[in-house]
Amino acid sequence: MPMTVRRFVRGPKPLCVVTAYDYPSARLADQAAVDAILVGDSVGQVVQGYPDTLSVTLDEMIYHTKMVARAAQDALVIGDMPFMSYQDSTEHALVSAGRLMKEARCAAVKLEGGSRMAETVLKMVECGIPVMGHIGYTPQSVHTLGSGRAQGRDLEAARRVLTDALDLEAAGAFAVVLEVMPHRLASLITAQLHVPTIGIGAGPGCSGQVLVWHDLLAMPDLGLRHSHAFAQVGEAALAGLRAYRQAVTDGSFPTIAHSVEMADEIAVQLEQEIPGSPQA
Ligand code: KIV
């Protein structure tokens, strides 16, 4: 039975969240016993090859979330709401989140934005939609946030981020992602909230952490400051692909052991029927 948000709470150990976008990856994440799998709109960058997350559609998020939800047996599955599927009105947010949960069968959704989204989050939660907030650096606002990723570095900005977190919790968010902000601010926010804070580039003082699948497995290794490569999967895959290409081109793969046998009399009969073959 996949986890619901009721079990996604603060405990003695930090919560572990990873993004995944398809069935085999989600199976592995589930087997690794992560607490939650976020089907992030980062799929736009790490899978679809866009420079940002803006082009990802709700239909695409539903497509990816379906695969992950089918794979997860224990982990909480959270579907990310893509750019402009919720920002313009509460009604739109309800329809989009409803589609994600009904069609893709995730147990919760995530959206970006703090205080300005609080009213919408309240309504969603009232309708039975568990919502994870996301503040600090919010990638869907890439064109309004300016060049630096880190948020909340000066006093005014830090106060705003704290207020964002408090407003989301008051609205009923079950957790809040804190992305790329000073670790002291993230620790302070974590101390003020009761719901878990899930950090990415926000230091060790959060209630849990989230990393993007392709970053933590180095597919490829981008050397991101906020991430860490826990395995060199990209290099291993490239070595495997090169070995495969080499074996095909030098004729060492496949051998007849990779195929199936045919009875001698059938092979001989067939060869006799084919004009020009040695048996004909
Ligand atoms: O889309 C995503 O993967 C995210 C995480 C980085 C929090 O929003």
Side-chain angles (χ1 to χ4, degrees):
M1 173 78 181
M3 221 215 301
T4 71
V5 294
R6 294 179 70 87
R7 283 200 283 143
F8 193 81
V9 291
R10 293 186 187 206
K13 289 188 189 152
L15 293 158
C16 180
V17 183
V18 64
T19 71
Y21 317 98
D22 58 34
Y23 184 88
S25 312
R27 289 283 294 157
L28 291 173
D30 203 58
Q31 282 166 25
V34 299
D35 296 294
I37 303 174
L38 169 66
V39 191
D41 64 352
S42 49
V43 69
Q45 290 162 291
V46 297
V47 174
Q48 297 176 341
Y50 287 113
D52 52 49
T53 61
L54 302 185
S55 298
V56 179
T57 66
L58 182 60
D59 284 336
E60 288 167 346
M61 288 312 303
I62 290 171
Y63 172 77
H64 287 282
T65 306
K66 272 183 183 176
M67 292 186 255
V68 170
R70 280 197 288 265
Q73 288 176 3
D74 292 311
L76 173 70
V77 176
I78 306 164
D80 212 357
M81 298 183 66
F83 181 54
M84 291 319 291
S85 69
Y86 62 93
Q87 286 94 338
D88 54 333
S89 72
T90 297
E91 289 66 33
H92 194 186
L94 288 171
V95 170
S96 301
R99 280 197 63 201
L100 256 177
M101 291 188 73
K102 282 162 76 90
E103 295 176 39
R105 303 198 58 82
C106 52
V109 302
K110 177 174 83 59
L111 52 74
E112 295 183 7
S115 306
R116 70 187 161 83
M117 291 310 304
E119 227 178 279
T120 296
V121 171
L122 184 69
K123 191 69 195 162
M124 292 167 78
V125 174
E126 275 175 8
C127 289
I129 301 168
V131 182
M132 174 182 250
H134 182 164
I135 58 176
Y137 181 71
T138 45
Q140 291 174 15
S141 304
V142 58
H143 293 300
T144 52
L145 284 181
S147 54
R149 277 168 72 95
Q151 303 297 305
R153 295 181 92 163
D154 63 54
L155 186 57
E156 261 321 294
R159 282 190 185 126
R160 272 200 305 276
V161 180
L162 174 60
T163 306
D164 281 338
L166 292 169
D167 287 350
L168 284 171
E169 176 171 85
F174 74 89
V176 183
V177 170
L178 306 180
E179 179 161 352
V180 194
M181 65 180 65
H183 62 90
R184 292 177 71 172
L185 174 60
S187 297
L188 229 144
I189 292 172
T190 303
Q192 294 300 307
L193 297 192
H194 300 94
V195 297
T197 56
I198 305 299
I200 174 162
C206 302
S207 333
Q209 298 293 326
V210 57
L211 281 182
V212 169
W213 181 271
H214 296 70
D215 297 343
L216 85 93
L217 295 178
M219 299 171 62
D221 193 348
L222 299 174
L224 299 170
R225 181 193 175 103
H226 67 265
S227 194
H228 181 78
F230 287 88
Q232 295 295 328
V233 175
E235 270 179 22
L238 186 58
L241 288 163
R242 284 187 173 137
Y244 165 60
R245 182 184 151 274
Q246 179 63 36
V248 169
T249 51
D250 70 18
S252 60
F253 177 87
T255 66
I256 55 171
H258 295 103
S259 182
V260 290
E261 288 302 338
M262 175 188 251
D264 269 352
E265 63 270 25
I266 298 176
V268 169
Q269 171 76 36
L270 198 61
E271 282 168 7
Q272 281 170 354
E273 289 172 13
I274 300 172
S277 80
Q279 302 287 323

